[in-house]
Amino acid sequence: MGDSAGASSDGAGTLGPGAGAGASATGDGLRRRRRRRRLRNSGVAVAVLGVTAVGVGWAVYAKLSGNITADEAAMAELARYEKERPTSLVRGAQNVLVIGSDSRSGDGNERYGRDTGTERSDTTILLHLAADRDSATAVSLPRDLMVNVPGCHRRNGSGTDPVFTQLNYAFEAGGSACTIRTVEKLTGIRIDHHVVVDFQGFKKMVDALDGVEVCLRKPVDDKDAQLKLPAGRVTLDGEQALGYVRARKSLGNGSDTDRMDRQQRFLGALVSKVQSNDVLLNPVKLYPVLDAATSSLTTDPGLASLRGVYDLARGLRGIPTERVRFLTAPRESYARDPNRDQLVQPDAEKLFTRLRTDEPVAVAADGRRAGGGNGSGSAAAGEPRTGDSPQPTFSGNTAAEDICG
């Protein structure tokens, strides 16, 4: 009895056979049991958060990847002509053909003109990424450049005959595959990937970046382009940016060459904005940019996933803006029609050879500036400038240049 009483007096209580330390409802045992319960609960919470994070991450990945349209038809068409396509000469170098479609079909695009059921390439840019990813060169190919367009297959299954005509006809004749074959025959450069962007996709990308800054030498009031802007530094939203890069009558001298020069400077400003830490290191800002970019794209299957786009973007991310170069293929007025273009030789071949062999391409301003109405529209835009360096230096600009410089 004395032992029992003693046990009661120290608060342990009698719990019967098998009871031991920690079995008590009070004291150290209770504290240990509560601590174990807290640990179990926190472990469950961490597991739930982990699963949730993985689920959200996968949902985001699936959403962004699902935004991209894979151009399977183009790849099947290109496979038919594999034997005639150029061979890649430098391992690791990549050439991406960026095609801006002028299609009026699709949500929101009808406001830019009547949908006639056809579309041509409003913009065609050959983007070369050096094998060591220390530079990128974007070459604009004039939409009115006279080229040999091969026989191609239309979407309805009918065929077209080979024809000597302007470059933008190739996209109408046979979509991206026909444009790729035309550019490969023109340049001798193997196209590794392609991207097609329409009006709405371009606008979404600019809006997701909260606008892109440009510089205007004089005010702009263009009803056709739905553009009214003051002179000086101006941040353009998506709608304004689209009008800015497409306008002819109110900006520059009205030539396609001047418009390409303006587009290149805009792209340089856009690259600088994307590469800024404010965008790349801020998930809140980066997600809408990725969402807008991916939802606007039709690409070859190799790029038609977030991983494909990421791998491409990762290669671009580390390139200094001064090594992101923009220029127009050397061109002049076509001898038989001043409203069309032809390549200037041997200057164009010098440029294409450097890209084929992954040699650096130097650019320097030639005095033309976009957006100010003072463009000279020189006869041979992009032509090499002799005497500036041992290698040919082409008229162009870099993403590092001051937009008002």
Side-chain angles (χ1 to χ4, degrees):
M1 291 291 296
D3 291 340
S4 176
S8 296
S9 65
D10 66 11
T14 303
L15 300 177
S24 172
T26 59
D28 292 340
L30 179 61
R31 284 193 291 272
R32 283 191 293 269
R33 189 162 63 183
R34 286 175 175 171
R35 184 163 58 250
R36 285 196 297 269
R37 186 183 298 117
R38 285 196 299 271
L39 289 173
R40 284 197 302 271
N41 290 341
S42 63
V44 170
V46 169
V48 169
L49 287 174
V51 170
T52 301
V54 170
V56 170
W58 174 251
V60 169
Y61 180 89
K63 164 75 165 57
L64 296 178
S65 290
N67 284 346
I68 307 171
T69 301
D71 197 351
E72 301 282 358
M75 299 312 295
E77 181 70 2
L78 290 172
R80 290 161 50 98
Y81 298 96
E82 179 60 37
K83 291 183 179 180
E84 73 177 36
R85 300 184 64 194
T87 301
S88 297
L89 299 182
V90 180
R91 184 186 179 95
Q94 285 196 327
N95 297 293
V96 183
L97 195 65
V98 182
I99 303 170
S101 167
D102 70 354
S103 172
R104 270 66 172 180
S105 64
D107 293 340
N109 286 330
E110 67 279 354
R111 65 182 299 183
Y112 304 108
R114 184 171 60 89
D115 180 16
T116 62
T118 62
E119 57 181 327
R120 294 195 176 192
S121 50
D122 200 50
T123 301
T124 304
I125 297 175
L126 175 58
L127 174 64
H128 174 77
L129 305 178
D132 56 9
R133 297 298 188 269
D134 71 343
S135 69
T137 304
V139 180
S140 294
L141 300 172
R143 51 178 283 173
D144 295 330
L145 185 66
M146 298 300 292
V147 297
N148 289 302
V149 177
C152 297
H153 288 86
R154 296 184 185 275
R155 295 174 183 173
N156 63 9
S158 64
T160 64
D161 294 325
V163 61
F164 183 68
T165 187
Q166 59 202 71
L167 174 62
N168 65 348
Y169 168 75
F171 195 66
E172 178 185 349
S176 51
C178 191
T179 301
I180 290 169
R181 291 176 58 211
T182 301
V183 171
E184 288 185 338
K185 288 179 177 295
L186 178 72
T187 65
I189 297 170
R190 172 83 176 206
I191 303 300
D192 301 294
H193 297 292
H194 69 276
V195 176
V196 181
V197 186
D198 67 9
F199 294 155
Q200 290 300 314
F202 177 82
K203 287 166 49 179
K204 288 179 183 178
M205 180 71 175
V206 174
D207 284 334
L209 287 167
D210 294 327
V212 174
E213 188 180 61
V214 299
C215 187
L216 301 172
R217 293 183 177 274
K218 64 179 184 179
V220 175
D221 189 357
D222 188 328
K223 293 181 180 179
D224 290 340
Q226 303 177 34
L227 201 62
K228 189 170 185 177
L229 301 168
R233 293 179 182 268
V234 182
T235 298
L236 305 181
D237 63 22
E239 189 69 46
Q240 293 169 327
L242 182 61
Y244 176 78
V245 299
R246 296 188 69 238
R248 288 175 179 267
K249 299 178 181 178
S250 59
L251 292 169
N253 61 6
S255 70
D256 196 46
T257 298
D258 194 79
R259 186 177 70 152
M260 286 185 293
D261 183 58
R262 192 185 330 127
Q263 290 173 349
Q264 291 161 9
R265 294 187 179 280
F266 180 86
L267 289 174
L270 186 146
V271 168
S272 296
K273 185 72 175 283
V274 170
Q275 282 196 342
S276 69
N277 288 343
D278 191 39
V279 174
L280 292 178
L281 299 183
N282 186 336
V284 175
K285 291 188 176 183
L286 182 59
Y287 175 79
V289 172
L290 290 175
D291 189 33
T294 53
S295 65
S296 70
L297 302 182
T298 297
T299 77
D300 61 279
L303 286 183
S305 68
L306 186 59
R307 178 58 184 269
V309 172
Y310 172 76
D311 287 344
L312 181 65
R314 182 176 59 180
L316 288 167
R317 184 174 57 189
I319 301 176
T321 51
E322 63 271 16
R323 292 184 182 175
V324 179
R325 306 175 179 109
F326 301 90
L327 69 151
T328 299
R331 45 73 55 199
E332 63 187 358
S333 294
Y334 178 48
R336 297 185 179 181
D337 185 347
N339 294 317
R340 300 289 181 262
D341 293 324
Q342 65 185 24
L343 292 178
V344 175
Q345 297 295 3
D347 302 339
E349 184 52 35
K350 290 180 181 178
L351 171 63
F352 299 149
T353 297
R354 297 193 76 83
L355 296 178
R356 278 196 301 270
T357 56
D358 201 33
E359 294 293 325
V361 175
V363 298
D366 66 352
R368 289 183 294 120
R369 286 293 182 268
N374 66 336
S376 64
S378 60
E383 66 184 2
R385 292 153 46 96
T386 59
D388 290 345
S389 66
Q391 66 185 37
T393 301
F394 297 84
S395 300
N397 63 282
T398 73
E401 292 183 17
D402 186 343
I403 57 171
C404 285

